[in-house]
Amino acid sequence: MFRISKEFHFSASHQLTSLPADHQCARLHGHNYVVVVELAAEELNEHGFVRDYHELSPLKRYIDETFDHRHLNDVLGHDRVTAECLARHFYDWCKAHLPETAAVKVSETPKTWAEYRP
């Protein structure tokens, strides 16, 4: 199996309103997110790629235009704006556009991340 990954960055705020009021994540706060998309294929294409990295440009546009410097509760229309839910959201978007998508990892900090891999 061949695997490639590409990393994307955005900054956004969110608020986890279902948590107790004294929980730090219940307050409005933000993160500098890192999204890592992993693509996989059994065989390489005629150019020797799983997928040309340039073909991930639509994901960069989607992230920049939809998520960067936004409030995630507003963008997604709900309060389930955890790293886990974001990883699933980006996985679903990527899978619809890039069938080779194998997993998506979302980091809120350099020491914390969530991954969605079916």
Side-chain angles (χ1 to χ4, degrees):
M1 178 71 66
F2 295 95
R3 296 185 185 278
I4 64 169
S5 296
K6 187 159 180 161
E7 184 176 289
F8 302 88
H9 297 249
F10 71 96
S11 298
S13 66
H14 71 156
Q15 187 172 13
L16 304 178
T17 59
S18 64
L19 296 173
D22 62 342
H23 191 289
Q24 66 183 9
C25 293
R27 296 189 304 263
L28 176 64
H29 65 286
H31 298 285
N32 294 314
Y33 289 92
V34 178
V35 178
V36 179
V37 176
E38 179 185 302
L39 306 181
E42 291 288 338
E43 301 293 329
L44 300 176
N45 69 16
E46 65 275 11
H47 305 292
F49 296 143
V50 169
R51 169 83 66 156
D52 187 336
Y53 286 108
H54 179 71
E55 294 180 63
L56 278 79
S57 295
L59 175 57
K60 178 172 177 17
R61 267 191 311 279
Y62 176 63
I63 289 171
D64 289 349
E65 293 172 3
T66 309
F67 291 88
D68 193 36
H69 287 83
R70 307 286 177 145
H71 184 58
L72 298 180
N73 301 65
D74 294 341
V75 170
L76 296 175
H78 56 73
D79 291 340
R80 293 181 52 108
V81 287
T82 62
E84 294 88 339
C85 292
L86 288 171
R88 176 63 189 262
H89 175 86
F90 286 119
Y91 176 87
D92 290 344
W93 190 95
C94 289
K95 192 70 172 174
H97 295 85
L98 304 159
E100 304 88 353
T101 301
V104 173
K105 181 170 94 170
V106 174
S107 299
E108 292 182 337
T109 74
K111 295 180 181 180
T112 63
W113 64 86
E115 179 178 54
Y116 182 77
R117 177 184 305 267

